[in-house]
Amino acid sequence: MPSAVPIAYGRSSSAPASIEGDSGILLPPNRFYDEESQRISNLIDEELRKESQRQKEARRKQVKVMLLGQAESGKSTLQKQFQIYYASKTLDRERPSWRPVVHFNIIRAVKTILDEIDYELSHPDDDDSDVESDPELNEPGPSSAGPLSSSSSSQRVKRPRQPSAAPGNAFRPSSTELETLSVLRTRLLPLVALHDSLASELSGGVSFSRGLTGVFVRAGWQGLLQSNQGGRAGKGSPGGVAGLAAKALDSSREDVQALWVHNAVRKLIQLRKLKLEESAPFFLDNAARIAEPDYLPNVDDVLNVRLQTLGVIEHSFPINLGGTMYDWRLYDVGGARGQRHAWVPYFEDATAIIFLAPISAFDQYLDEDARTNRIDDSLQLFMTICSNKLLKKAHLVLMLNKTDLLKAKLKAGVRVQKYITSYGSRPNKYDDVASYFRAHFMQVHKRKDVSNRSLYLHFTSMLDIKATQSIIVNVGEAIIRQHVAQTGLT
Ligand SMILES: Nc1nc2c(ncn2[C@@H]2O[C@H](COP(=O)(O)OP(=O)(O)O)[C@@H](O)[C@H]2O)c(=O)[nH]1
Ligand SMILES: [Mg+2]
């Protein structure tokens, strides 16, 4: 290595006129120095040539894949699916660090339920009639405008709701129900009181953007968390707020379960007034198991976790294709609007983009802009990705995600046409809705793609390990093959 060579002056073939010794004294020219310097110079040149060759080779074997899409589209879940397939041991090692995050997901769900009950009880006359007309999906273009009504005191953003299935089906718990709710509320207060401090501990002190709460993590969060807790996050009694939360959950598990199955909560869900995070039912159904003192998250728990990414997090692992090892690098990004500027520096040398669009989100709006329909935002974002010149060489994969949730919503009778008027009178059936959204994304690609490249499209349900794994293998191999073709690597 050049840095290991002791004398570094001899890069020229002509003898130096004089040589400055360590002491600063000028020495006369010397033939020995001349030949020696030439020899060393050649050695350095050879080393540099080899090093540059090695670097070139390593770069050619490096496959950089960016996971893009709006917040909650499933980017981090896809990253975990890649990890399960190609580096399952690393995921196994990380399981302890997911424990407090799973606990947080439950505490957050309990808090949301109690907040909603409080809100409903203090606004008994508040029905859906105060919700303005729903935004409609425009052809990709300006943001659709929808209603925004927020209560500044609680930062509670009221999003458009599906009207009650039966008019007059209002939220009116009986007096016995109110009594049990009140008891549960009091007993759950110590658990819910940990919400903010646990969020802050998990986020490493990151402050939240206006109106948003939750846990945000940057690269390396797992290491930080484990060292904060003296590496005891897995078993026994972790320190800090996470430890308190584990204990509080352990002692209130029956109350959590009782709240979750309470008639009033069922009613709020049926009326579509309670807007829980999508993974909340999964965690609340599993609350007893998760509250066990020696609980260690399993793979399904890790996949279901909602944890917001901040900035860009790189995950790297080797992939063997046809006997050659490739250095596969996934870049998982924060997808909220305020985070998207951080993507750009990674664009230039990206081998591939996997764009995720959750097509179940036709009745949802952005957290960061409650007027924008999420499908509309996905289409606009996909348009900017297709037309970005820096990405013109990148292999383009589109995953229309959350098909399981789309099916469940349609089955529950949620009508697409109510949120996306251009859907018209088409049947409210999965095949029709899925084709409609696919056609919209394909049209954006056809009209806007900067280099007329192929678009590889998949329908995905990212929590389904078996189905997703085969898609991952196909996508991974296709990306590497294209990379090989472009770089001439054999
Ligand atoms: N039901 C369902 N949930 C999903 C799917 N993909 C992701 N999720 C969940 O959606 C939430 C947000 O996913 P995440 O990967 O964190 O989104 P990101 O913000 O794009 O990284 C998590 O709770 C995931 O478990 C899916 O296909 N179906
Ligand atoms: Mg993420």
Side-chain angles (χ1 to χ4, degrees):
M1 292 293 289
S3 57
V5 177
I7 306 167
Y9 58 79
R11 305 291 318 278
S12 130
S13 58
S14 61
S18 57
I19 301 160
E20 194 174 270
D22 283 349
S23 60
I25 298 169
L26 290 181
L27 304 171
N30 179 318
R31 222 165 65 83
F32 168 75
Y33 282 115
D34 195 21
E35 282 170 7
E36 184 59 8
S37 67
Q38 183 60 54
R39 193 183 67 79
I40 291 166
S41 168
N42 291 346
L43 263 178
I44 293 170
D45 286 348
E46 179 61 14
E47 271 307 317
L48 286 175
R49 201 186 55 74
K50 281 190 191 155
E51 178 59 23
S52 134
Q53 192 63 29
R54 270 195 294 272
Q55 277 179 8
K56 215 163 140 194
E57 203 61 18
R59 263 203 307 277
R60 285 164 68 182
K61 288 198 176 145
Q62 217 173 63
V63 183
K64 296 187 169 181
V65 181
M66 296 200 73
L67 307 180
L68 302 180
Q70 66 189 201
E72 290 189 81
S73 54
K75 301 178 291 298
S76 300
T77 314
L78 177 59
Q79 184 279 315
K80 290 173 203 161
Q81 286 275 11
F82 269 104
Q83 204 179 349
I84 291 171
Y85 192 81
Y86 290 109
S88 62
K89 280 200 186 115
T90 62
L91 191 88
D92 217 37
R93 278 200 297 276
E94 286 172 4
R95 278 164 61 196
S97 57
W98 290 102
R99 181 179 186 243
V101 186
V102 172
H103 287 167
F104 179 78
N105 275 235
I106 291 202
I107 295 174
R108 185 163 167 70
V110 171
K111 183 177 185 309
T112 308
I113 294 174
L114 293 177
D115 283 354
E116 184 64 33
I117 290 172
D118 284 354
Y119 177 85
E120 293 299 335
L121 294 178
S122 56
H123 298 75
D125 300 327
D126 191 29
D127 62 15
D128 294 300
S129 57
D130 60 351
V131 176
E132 292 169 38
S133 62
D134 290 301
E136 58 183 76
L137 178 74
N138 299 320
E139 288 298 310
S143 210
S144 15
L148 171 72
S149 87
S150 60
S151 141
S152 55
S153 58
S154 63
Q155 290 195 325
R156 183 183 183 282
V157 176
K158 190 174 176 206
R159 291 182 216 129
R161 288 166 167 169
Q162 175 83 341
S164 320
N169 211 0
F171 178 68
R172 289 202 192 87
S174 69
S175 55
T176 349
E177 283 171 348
L178 282 176
E179 218 168 283
T180 46
L181 278 180
S182 160
V183 172
L184 285 175
R185 194 180 177 285
T186 312
R187 294 223 292 248
L188 286 166
L189 271 183
L191 180 72
V192 171
L194 294 168
H195 176 275
D196 289 1
S197 46
L198 183 56
S200 168
E201 180 169 292
L202 293 175
S203 307
V206 172
S207 58
F208 308 135
S209 352
R210 186 166 40 97
L212 296 180
T213 58
V215 172
F216 296 80
V217 291
R218 292 183 190 280
W221 67 273
Q222 283 153 321
L224 279 176
L225 197 63
Q226 280 184 9
S227 64
N228 279 349
Q229 297 176 4
R232 289 172 298 159
K235 300 254 173 199
S237 54
V241 187
L244 295 177
K247 283 196 192 110
L249 193 57
D250 184 17
S251 48
S252 54
R253 76 176 83 174
E254 278 162 19
D255 298 326
V256 171
Q257 285 175 297
L259 179 71
W260 179 227
V261 298
H262 195 282
N263 270 347
V265 175
R266 299 289 117 189
K267 186 81 181 173
L268 285 174
I269 290 173
Q270 184 207 334
L271 295 174
R272 289 176 57 76
K273 290 188 172 214
L274 179 58
K275 292 282 178 186
L276 287 168
E277 284 190 329
E278 284 160 357
S279 52
F282 170 84
F283 287 122
L284 289 166
D285 284 344
N286 286 280
R289 173 176 63 86
I290 291 167
E292 287 290 332
D294 61 352
Y295 162 70
L296 196 59
N298 62 32
V299 174
D300 281 330
D301 296 341
V302 174
L303 284 177
N304 271 279
V305 152
R306 171 85 190 107
L307 184 64
Q308 284 154 272
T309 315
L310 266 191
V312 178
I313 302 187
E314 181 185 294
H315 298 262
S316 159
F317 36 84
I319 292 188
N320 184 337
L321 186 70
T324 306
M325 293 307 284
Y326 294 90
D327 175 11
W328 179 267
R329 297 196 178 195
L330 275 183
Y331 296 89
D332 181 17
V333 306
R337 282 190 171 167
Q339 294 277 308
R340 295 176 188 172
H341 62 92
W343 306 354
V344 182
Y346 294 81
F347 280 179
E348 206 146 13
D349 55 355
T351 316
I353 301 295
I354 303 181
F355 189 93
L356 287 109
I359 50 170
S360 61
F362 65 86
D363 61 342
Q364 291 171 286
Y365 299 81
L366 293 183
D367 275 345
E368 59 270 36
D369 175 6
R371 291 164 308 164
T372 302
N373 178 290
R374 290 198 185 191
I375 300 239
D376 198 13
D377 178 68
S378 265
L379 279 165
Q380 289 183 53
L381 189 54
F382 186 57
M383 181 165 68
T384 65
I385 295 303
C386 285
S387 55
N388 191 305
K389 291 199 176 80
L390 290 176
L391 291 170
K392 67 173 188 274
K393 285 197 189 137
H395 185 95
L396 194 58
V397 180
L398 172 63
M399 293 192 176
L400 299 179
N401 192 31
K402 303 202 180 181
T403 53
D404 58 323
L405 285 178
L406 175 61
K407 284 176 190 160
K409 276 186 189 174
L410 297 175
K411 205 168 159 216
V414 186
R415 288 183 51 246
V416 176
Q417 198 259 340
K418 178 174 159 43
Y419 298 90
I420 296 170
T421 46
S422 61
Y423 190 70
S425 58
R426 293 171 178 83
N428 209 54
K429 299 235 164 58
Y430 174 76
D431 286 346
D432 301 271
V433 177
S435 314
Y436 180 79
F437 290 142
R438 180 179 55 192
H440 269 266
F441 279 95
M442 284 172 61
Q443 197 176 35
V444 165
H445 171 256
K446 200 169 149 208
R447 281 201 203 144
K448 297 289 175 183
D449 195 68
V450 72
S451 56
N452 273 331
R453 77 201 119 169
S454 309
L455 174 66
Y456 298 84
L457 190 148
H458 301 268
F459 285 102
T460 53
S461 173
M462 213 62 82
L463 302 183
D464 180 339
I465 299 184
K466 206 164 152 230
T468 309
Q469 300 282 286
S470 67
I471 293 175
I472 276 181
V473 175
N474 281 337
V475 167
E477 291 188 356
I479 290 173
I480 293 178
R481 289 222 167 81
Q482 192 187 1
H483 178 68
V484 168
Q486 271 175 1
T487 57
L489 191 77
T490 49

